[in-house]
mmCIF file of all heavy atoms in Angstrom:
data_model
loop_
_atom_site.group_PDB
_atom_site.id
_atom_site.type_symbol
_atom_site.label_atom_id
_atom_site.label_comp_id
_atom_site.label_asym_id
_atom_site.label_seq_id
_atom_site.Cartn_x
_atom_site.Cartn_y
_atom_site.Cartn_z
ATOM 1 N N ASP A 631 106.896 77.095 74.966
ATOM 2 C CA ASP A 631 107.327 78.484 75.155
ATOM 3 C C ASP A 631 108.611 78.565 75.985
ATOM 4 O O ASP A 631 108.908 77.661 76.764
ATOM 5 C CB ASP A 631 106.238 79.268 75.915
ATOM 6 C CG ASP A 631 105.061 79.613 75.009
ATOM 7 O OD1 ASP A 631 104.989 79.050 73.905
ATOM 8 O OD2 ASP A 631 104.224 80.428 75.427
ATOM 9 N N ASP A 632 109.298 79.692 75.816
ATOM 10 C CA ASP A 632 110.402 80.111 76.701
ATOM 11 C C ASP A 632 111.737 79.390 76.467
ATOM 12 O O ASP A 632 112.683 79.615 77.202
ATOM 13 C CB ASP A 632 110.046 79.985 78.196
ATOM 14 C CG ASP A 632 108.819 80.793 78.570
ATOM 15 O OD1 ASP A 632 108.294 81.509 77.692
ATOM 16 O OD2 ASP A 632 108.387 80.707 79.731
ATOM 17 N N PHE A 655 108.147 78.427 70.613
ATOM 18 C CA PHE A 655 108.160 79.891 70.680
ATOM 19 C C PHE A 655 109.340 80.288 71.568
ATOM 20 O O PHE A 655 109.286 80.154 72.795
ATOM 21 C CB PHE A 655 106.824 80.415 71.214
ATOM 22 C CG PHE A 655 105.715 80.269 70.217
ATOM 23 C CD1 PHE A 655 104.788 79.251 70.328
ATOM 24 C CD2 PHE A 655 105.601 81.147 69.142
ATOM 25 C CE1 PHE A 655 103.766 79.097 69.381
ATOM 26 C CE2 PHE A 655 104.592 81.005 68.192
ATOM 27 C CZ PHE A 655 103.680 79.981 68.321
ATOM 28 N N ILE A 657 112.739 82.405 73.119
ATOM 29 C CA ILE A 657 113.179 83.702 73.634
ATOM 30 C C ILE A 657 114.695 83.820 73.423
ATOM 31 O O ILE A 657 115.350 82.853 73.044
ATOM 32 C CB ILE A 657 112.773 83.908 75.116
ATOM 33 C CG1 ILE A 657 113.393 82.843 76.007
ATOM 34 C CG2 ILE A 657 111.263 83.892 75.273
ATOM 35 C CD1 ILE A 657 113.195 83.109 77.490
ATOM 36 N N HIS A 681 108.916 84.626 70.739
ATOM 37 C CA HIS A 681 108.152 84.823 71.982
ATOM 38 C C HIS A 681 108.785 85.974 72.767
ATOM 39 O O HIS A 681 108.735 85.993 73.984
ATOM 40 C CB HIS A 681 108.161 83.515 72.777
ATOM 41 C CG HIS A 681 107.331 83.518 74.018
ATOM 42 N ND1 HIS A 681 106.038 83.968 74.047
ATOM 43 C CD2 HIS A 681 107.618 83.109 75.276
ATOM 44 C CE1 HIS A 681 105.568 83.838 75.282
ATOM 45 N NE2 HIS A 681 106.504 83.334 76.054
ATOM 46 N N SER A 682 109.423 86.881 72.031
ATOM 47 C CA SER A 682 110.153 88.037 72.559
ATOM 48 C C SER A 682 111.605 87.670 72.840
ATOM 49 O O SER A 682 111.932 86.492 73.002
ATOM 50 C CB SER A 682 109.535 88.610 73.843
ATOM 51 O OG SER A 682 109.955 87.854 74.974
ATOM 52 N N HIS A 685 111.767 88.534 77.214
ATOM 53 C CA HIS A 685 110.714 87.884 78.018
ATOM 54 C C HIS A 685 110.438 88.665 79.293
ATOM 55 O O HIS A 685 109.891 88.131 80.259
ATOM 56 C CB HIS A 685 111.093 86.428 78.336
ATOM 57 C CG HIS A 685 109.907 85.558 78.620
ATOM 58 N ND1 HIS A 685 109.674 85.000 79.856
ATOM 59 C CD2 HIS A 685 108.878 85.162 77.835
ATOM 60 C CE1 HIS A 685 108.549 84.292 79.808
ATOM 61 N NE2 HIS A 685 108.049 84.380 78.594
ATOM 62 N N TYR A 687 108.221 91.178 80.739
ATOM 63 C CA TYR A 687 106.909 91.753 80.408
ATOM 64 C C TYR A 687 106.885 93.273 80.569
ATOM 65 O O TYR A 687 106.381 93.999 79.723
ATOM 66 C CB TYR A 687 105.811 91.149 81.292
ATOM 67 C CG TYR A 687 105.444 89.707 80.986
ATOM 68 C CD1 TYR A 687 106.353 88.832 80.406
ATOM 69 C CD2 TYR A 687 104.179 89.227 81.298
ATOM 70 C CE1 TYR A 687 106.013 87.513 80.147
ATOM 71 C CE2 TYR A 687 103.819 87.908 81.041
ATOM 72 C CZ TYR A 687 104.750 87.054 80.463
ATOM 73 O OH TYR A 687 104.396 85.758 80.207
ATOM 74 N N ARG A 720 104.228 84.506 69.520
ATOM 75 C CA ARG A 720 103.315 84.356 70.660
ATOM 76 C C ARG A 720 103.602 85.488 71.633
ATOM 77 O O ARG A 720 104.731 85.657 72.087
ATOM 78 C CB ARG A 720 103.491 83.000 71.343
ATOM 79 C CG ARG A 720 102.684 82.901 72.631
ATOM 80 C CD ARG A 720 102.536 81.485 73.124
ATOM 81 N NE ARG A 720 101.584 80.741 72.313
ATOM 82 C CZ ARG A 720 101.523 79.414 72.268
ATOM 83 N NH1 ARG A 720 102.358 78.696 72.990
ATOM 84 N NH2 ARG A 720 100.625 78.810 71.513
ATOM 85 N N PHE A 721 102.565 86.277 71.921
ATOM 86 C CA PHE A 721 102.741 87.356 72.889
ATOM 87 C C PHE A 721 103.110 86.759 74.248
ATOM 88 O O PHE A 721 102.459 85.801 74.686
ATOM 89 C CB PHE A 721 101.430 88.133 73.060
ATOM 90 C CG PHE A 721 101.117 89.076 71.929
ATOM 91 C CD1 PHE A 721 100.259 88.708 70.912
ATOM 92 C CD2 PHE A 721 101.692 90.343 71.895
ATOM 93 C CE1 PHE A 721 99.963 89.578 69.872
ATOM 94 C CE2 PHE A 721 101.405 91.228 70.849
ATOM 95 C CZ PHE A 721 100.534 90.837 69.839
ATOM 96 N N PRO A 722 104.131 87.336 74.916
ATOM 97 C CA PRO A 722 104.390 86.893 76.284
ATOM 98 C C PRO A 722 103.119 87.099 77.127
ATOM 99 O O PRO A 722 102.540 88.181 77.097
ATOM 100 C CB PRO A 722 105.522 87.811 76.746
ATOM 101 C CG PRO A 722 106.223 88.206 75.489
ATOM 102 C CD PRO A 722 105.131 88.312 74.448
ATOM 103 N N GLY A 723 102.667 86.047 77.763
ATOM 104 C CA GLY A 723 101.421 86.116 78.531
ATOM 105 C C GLY A 723 100.186 85.981 77.654
ATOM 106 O O GLY A 723 99.065 86.058 78.145
ATOM 107 N N LEU A 785 99.525 74.623 75.282
ATOM 108 C CA LEU A 785 100.627 75.430 75.824
ATOM 109 C C LEU A 785 101.469 74.612 76.802
ATOM 110 O O LEU A 785 100.971 74.125 77.814
ATOM 111 C CB LEU A 785 100.057 76.657 76.547
ATOM 112 C CG LEU A 785 101.045 77.504 77.348
ATOM 113 C CD1 LEU A 785 102.042 78.204 76.430
ATOM 114 C CD2 LEU A 785 100.317 78.529 78.206
ATOM 115 N N HIS A 787 105.838 74.384 78.352
ATOM 116 C CA HIS A 787 107.032 75.216 78.510
ATOM 117 C C HIS A 787 108.313 74.396 78.407
ATOM 118 O O HIS A 787 108.369 73.252 78.851
ATOM 119 C CB HIS A 787 106.976 75.980 79.837
ATOM 120 C CG HIS A 787 105.966 77.087 79.820
ATOM 121 N ND1 HIS A 787 104.640 76.865 80.061
ATOM 122 C CD2 HIS A 787 106.098 78.418 79.530
ATOM 123 C CE1 HIS A 787 103.985 78.017 79.944
ATOM 124 N NE2 HIS A 787 104.835 78.976 79.618
HETATM 125 ZN ZN1 LIG B 1341 106.644 82.870 78.106
#
Side-chain angles (χ1 to χ4, degrees):
D631 284 13
D632 302 356
F655 288 102
I657 60 172
H681 185 48
S682 82
H685 204 246
Y687 288 27
R720 173 164 286 161
F721 284 98
L785 171 67
H787 288 83

